[in-house]
Amino acid sequence: MPPSATTTPAGTGRVVAVTGACTFLGGELLRRLEEDPKYSRVLALDIRPPALAPGGKVEYVKIDLTQPTVDGELATLLERHQVDTFVHGAFLSHPTHAADWAHELEDVGTMHVLNACAGVAPRRLVMISTSLVYGAHPKNPNFLTEDAELKGHRDSRFVNDKVRAERQVQRFAKEHANVEVCILRFAPILGPTVSNMYTRFFSRPIAPVMMGHDPLMQFVHEQDAAYALVRAVDSRATGAFNIVGKGVLPYTTVLALLGRVPVPMPQFVARQLSKVLWATQLVGSPPSFLDFLLYLCVADGARARRELGFAPRLSIKRTILDFLGVAPEDGATDAAIAQA
Amino acid sequence: MNDDDDDTNDEWYGEADPRVPDAASVDRIFGDRDLGFLEDDVYLGEEAMIPHELGGSHVPSRGERESAELRELERRMEQHRTPVFPIDLRRRLPLEAVWRRWRALAMWGRSDVVDDFGRDPRATARWEWLFEFLYSKWFRVQASGLEHIPSRGRALLVANHAGSLPYDSAMVMHAVRRDHPSRRDVRPLVEDTVFHLPFLGPIMNRIGGVRADPENAERLLMKDELVAVFPEGEKGMGKLWKDRYRLQRFGRGGFVKLALRTGAPIIPVAVVGAEEAAPMLGKITWFAKNIGIPWIPVTPTFPWLGPAGLLPLPSKWYVQFGAPIDLGKAHGAAAAEDRLLVNRLADQIRTQIQTMIEGLLGKRRSPVFPAFLG
């Protein structure tokens, strides 16, 4: 579907509001919308101004989704600027110890956004979610489709807040047929500039391995992810979409490509150690994250390809090497092949 | 981004090296800033320079390509000047020479591309000698009926199951890879209890095993793969010596539904010899649940000889592939919803495999006999 398929009233241009404008995806979206003549105005909503210098089209509005009456503020804003597309991306990219605040922001913040959208309906609502909402479970099939149940995680508030937010949005979509609701579930994003739980985890020289377990992993390159978001804003597709990269690799191969030293440990040791390290705030990944090193959580991107017209460009290997900042010619594997 | 009609494909291919940004355009944007870093490690390759194309062989116009290239360069330039957090720390670890050596070493015996279900070609090649040894020297497998396996297209192998470790699925896999003219790869479906076993599970996954799950099986068949199922599952593996070669209930007929839905022909497979390789005299259940397995097998060698007792006894094996049964053609895909029919078909196939096994047992002179003659 070419971008021109979207309906734009001649002369006016679309108005887009973006919450979480300072997140990686939010910033990339602003940058790309600014280049696109189809959009006449972009509202960047966050608690601090986005890094991008506003160049006329982008207008920063301070919005704190944890404030109790922010829904009214948002509704006024939507009304005044005649917002056409609302992008809700105010979600945390890494777990935090301030779990109550995170809950207010992600779960309750989504409620505020939906309240505003119920009052002043935009044409389109795009929500940024993650494929972690499926959770890593021993019974997961190799490829989770969008219809799979959102099991979340037994004791991860980081994941469960997102699951709750997504359920609210799904309910909203059912009740408000006049709004096109699109949910994007991104696989973990890797790349040279993005910062999230996975990039922090892989930045350490050593990484824990659950002894005797080696699940397949999946990532999406930051540029592919940003492009998918633009597609979602552009297109008229509705429903949930998995946004994933090309290919999968076993966890230990990912570590080998990254040159990280795997530290195999029995499960109970890993869990105790992880609890201590998390409680003392020495690492950024909570104990529940270990399940993602035990079981599969890989999503199927076929629906996004079919209905959203998004296909990833970069393979998982290239994504990993780009995260490292290594040119493909200089890959470790080439050396390995030469030696073999 | 709109297509510029004036731009032709020739322009795109005509340039000396499309991967290297045009010097003039770089100068225009970046002036005299130091671009040394561009040369070594920000190059993402051709793929990254081409704007996304949705649905086919679109060749980007010059305008599209340039703006994507320049956007990428600009972004990285900015990033280089004002890193959000120290990227160099993550890129270059101390002792880079050592680190590079380590990476090369860590990639030994594994490839950097696996298929969708985790099969690693290099790891498969690494274990090949073991299967060949078990197949031709240890079990002296005699395979027959391989001509029933199609050389292309989907098919569902349905086999009986025995033994505390899935040697039978390995031998079925190896028989097809070794003796079938088109050397096809069989993807055996592995029960949860085995798939999640430490060490063994990941190895099975790397050499082609897939977790037994209806969605996985359907996806594999839709990709025209050769899938092997063991419908007895855990019940088959837990059979005692006194029940040897007596087929257990064939699950809930999931494999019949699968064949009906995907139109894959069913190829019945009888494996004889696996029962004697690990004769289960009894099983201990009271402690097993605590270590995550359904039971601890008691065989003539295990647990008396420790881990060495898990090695199979050198029994004589026969593997017979039967003629394909095309359920899809006979009953149609909608029949998958007919529970009575599904169960009846499952039982028919079970009876057929039972008959095949009895035929093989009658032919076999002794479970160990040829071993004495070499």
Side-chain angles (χ1 to χ4, degrees):
Chain A
M1 206 197 309
S4 55
T6 53
T7 50
T8 314
T12 52
R14 293 169 60 180
V15 182
V16 180
V18 184
T19 62
C22 292
T23 61
F24 169 78
L25 284 174
E28 288 292 301
L29 182 66
L30 296 186
R31 202 184 270 276
R32 281 154 200 250
L33 292 186
E34 185 145 36
E35 280 182 12
D36 196 329
K38 277 204 302 294
Y39 302 94
S40 60
R41 184 191 280 264
V42 181
L43 301 176
L45 317 178
D46 210 321
I47 49 172
R48 63 187 159 88
L52 185 82
K57 226 193 244 185
V58 180
E59 188 184 321
Y60 165 63
V61 182
K62 187 174 155 78
I63 285 283
D64 186 352
L65 288 177
T66 56
Q67 295 305 311
T69 55
V70 72
D71 46 358
E73 268 176 69
L74 275 173
T76 330
L77 209 62
L78 293 180
E79 178 86 69
R80 179 150 35 98
H81 293 278
Q82 287 295 302
V83 170
D84 164 86
T85 303
F86 196 102
V87 181
H88 181 32
F91 295 97
L92 299 176
S93 56
H94 11 65
T96 170
H97 286 273
D100 291 337
W101 171 72
H103 177 78
E104 286 298 308
L105 173 65
E106 298 190 328
D107 190 1
V108 184
T110 302
M111 185 195 78
H112 289 314
V113 166
L114 294 177
N115 287 352
C117 288
V120 187
R123 185 178 65 80
R124 189 167 174 78
L125 171 66
V126 178
M127 181 203 182
I128 295 171
S129 179
T130 149
S131 68
L132 302 186
V133 291
Y134 297 117
H137 300 281
K139 297 274 184 196
N140 276 357
N142 272 56
F143 289 93
L144 291 151
T145 58
E146 285 82 357
D147 308 325
E149 188 193 344
L150 304 185
K151 289 186 188 148
H153 193 281
R154 203 162 19 94
D155 36 34
S156 166
R157 299 194 70 170
F158 174 62
V159 174
N160 289 347
D161 279 338
K162 291 181 175 57
V163 174
R164 270 186 230 115
E166 209 182 295
R167 290 215 178 107
Q168 288 186 58
V169 173
Q170 283 175 352
R171 205 177 318 130
F172 176 86
K174 243 180 242 162
E175 290 163 6
H176 298 78
N178 56 332
V179 181
E180 300 171 9
V181 178
C182 177
I183 301 170
L184 301 181
R185 296 180 189 143
F186 290 92
I189 302 174
L190 284 191
T193 59
V194 64
S195 162
N196 57 34
M197 177 171 70
Y198 276 84
T199 59
R200 285 191 184 182
F201 181 78
F202 286 130
S203 296
R204 296 176 179 277
I206 58 171
V209 171
M210 306 301 252
M211 203 183 253
H213 290 273
D214 196 5
L216 296 171
M217 288 201 163
Q218 175 186 50
F219 304 105
V220 58
H221 190 273
E222 54 179 40
Q223 290 303 304
D224 280 338
Y227 180 72
L229 181 56
V230 176
R231 278 299 308 164
V233 174
D234 254 359
S235 86
R236 307 209 60 167
T238 56
F241 296 97
N242 294 327
I243 305 297
V244 303
K246 229 191 266 174
V248 292
L249 274 181
Y251 173 53
T252 54
T253 304
V254 172
L255 292 184
L257 273 174
L258 286 166
R260 303 303 185 240
V261 181
V263 184
M265 45 181 112
Q267 265 193 60
F268 62 93
V269 174
R271 295 212 186 266
Q272 296 307 320
L273 193 65
S274 177
K275 267 181 207 161
V276 172
L277 290 176
W278 172 249
T280 52
Q281 310 204 3
L282 287 172
V283 296
S285 36
S288 57
F289 174 68
L290 292 179
D291 277 355
F292 289 89
L293 307 183
L294 261 178
Y295 303 119
L296 272 172
C297 178
V298 171
D300 177 21
R303 182 152 185 246
R305 185 187 293 264
R306 230 173 25 238
E307 292 176 29
L308 204 59
F310 162 77
R313 285 177 306 173
L314 292 162
S315 69
I316 181 166
K317 182 190 165 193
R318 295 285 287 279
T319 303
I320 289 168
L321 293 183
D322 198 35
F323 162 71
L324 276 180
V326 179
E329 287 83 1
D330 183 28
T333 50
D334 299 345
I337 290 165
Q339 286 174 0
Chain B
M1 277 176 266
N2 293 321
D3 241 330
D4 228 333
D5 288 334
D6 296 342
D7 286 312
T8 56
N9 300 357
D10 298 334
E11 262 189 75
W12 168 240
Y13 291 116
E15 293 195 17
D17 188 353
R19 298 172 307 180
V20 179
D22 175 14
S25 59
V26 173
D27 279 354
R28 200 169 62 237
I29 299 286
F30 296 111
D32 55 357
R33 291 177 205 158
D34 175 26
L35 291 177
F37 71 94
L38 283 179
E39 284 156 22
D40 53 345
D41 57 13
V42 299
Y43 163 56
L44 253 181
E46 225 165 314
E47 295 173 40
M49 300 299 185
I50 303 170
H52 274 90
E53 163 45 20
L54 326 155
S57 52
H58 166 80
V59 176
S61 72
R62 192 186 184 85
E64 278 179 329
R65 183 160 50 85
E66 272 194 350
S67 93
E69 261 171 37
L70 293 180
R71 184 161 3 97
E72 183 69 16
L73 283 179
E74 197 179 1
R75 196 174 61 82
R76 297 207 173 190
M77 186 78 212
E78 201 172 291
Q79 173 68 31
H80 212 73
R81 273 187 287 124
T82 53
V84 184
F85 53 96
I87 282 182
D88 281 2
L89 268 187
R90 125 207 318 181
R91 284 189 188 169
R92 305 199 197 292
L93 293 172
L95 302 172
E96 191 163 343
V98 180
W99 181 52
R100 274 169 193 250
R101 284 274 151 212
W102 166 258
R103 286 212 306 177
L105 196 69
M107 283 307 288
W108 178 81
R110 57 171 90 233
S111 43
D112 49 23
V113 179
V114 301
D115 84 346
D116 283 353
F117 290 87
R119 181 174 178 279
D120 180 338
R122 208 176 285 180
T124 313
R126 204 170 120 196
W127 292 99
E128 190 75 21
W129 66 269
L130 179 65
F131 291 124
E132 179 54 30
F133 171 76
L134 285 174
Y135 187 85
S136 57
K137 296 283 177 339
W138 196 252
F139 296 133
R140 296 144 290 135
V141 182
Q142 279 186 10
S144 58
L146 276 163
E147 69 277 3
H148 293 309
I149 294 173
S151 52
R152 58 165 63 163
R154 61 190 76 163
L156 190 60
L157 305 179
V158 179
N160 58 320
H161 208 17
S164 45
L165 287 177
Y167 291 108
D168 44 4
S169 58
M171 290 303 105
V172 168
M173 216 166 116
H174 196 67
V176 180
R177 194 159 55 213
R178 184 178 182 270
D179 294 336
H180 190 267
S182 52
R183 310 195 174 282
R184 292 191 68 176
D185 285 311
V186 177
R187 309 300 303 257
L189 298 188
V190 186
E191 309 78 335
D192 278 13
T193 43
V194 178
F195 194 82
H196 291 304
L197 275 184
F199 303 103
L200 191 69
I203 291 174
M204 297 207 40
N205 190 214
R206 282 313 90 74
I207 63 176
V210 177
R211 195 180 79 80
D213 178 281
E215 272 184 60
N216 286 347
E218 195 165 333
R219 204 173 273 268
L220 281 167
L221 286 174
M222 286 307 192
K223 284 171 68 188
D224 280 340
E225 299 254 14
L226 205 53
V227 178
V229 292
F230 301 86
E232 289 174 272
E234 221 173 77
K235 283 175 82 72
M237 297 181 86
K239 255 183 304 196
L240 292 179
W241 174 247
K242 62 180 170 62
D243 297 325
R244 63 188 180 279
Y245 297 123
R246 208 172 297 155
L247 290 191
Q248 304 294 302
R249 176 169 57 80
F250 261 23
R252 291 161 198 270
F255 73 99
V256 173
K257 283 185 210 156
L258 197 62
L260 287 169
R261 270 204 299 268
T262 59
I266 286 182
I267 297 174
V269 183
V271 182
V272 161
E275 300 274 13
E276 290 86 3
M280 181 134 67
L281 305 176
K283 44 189 179 184
I284 306 168
T285 48
W286 58 267
F287 177 63
K289 293 272 189 246
N290 301 355
I291 51 176
I293 51 176
W295 61 76
I296 299 167
V298 179
T299 70
T301 52
F302 188 82
W304 329 116
L305 300 182
L310 278 175
L311 293 178
L313 299 174
S315 57
K316 171 74 182 169
W317 282 40
Y318 294 89
V319 179
Q320 191 188 355
F321 298 89
I325 307 164
D326 203 337
L327 292 180
K329 207 179 275 172
H331 301 277
E337 305 306 319
D338 185 346
R339 289 167 176 237
L340 288 172
L341 179 71
V342 165
N343 198 40
R344 202 180 70 228
L345 290 172
D347 201 61
Q348 265 173 25
I349 286 161
R350 190 177 78 104
T351 319
Q352 187 175 349
I353 294 172
Q354 183 77 62
T355 317
M356 281 164 72
I357 289 176
E358 267 142 32
L360 286 175
L361 285 173
K363 215 169 66 179
R364 183 174 75 162
R365 280 174 288 177
S366 141
V368 286
F369 167 65
F372 299 121
L373 302 177

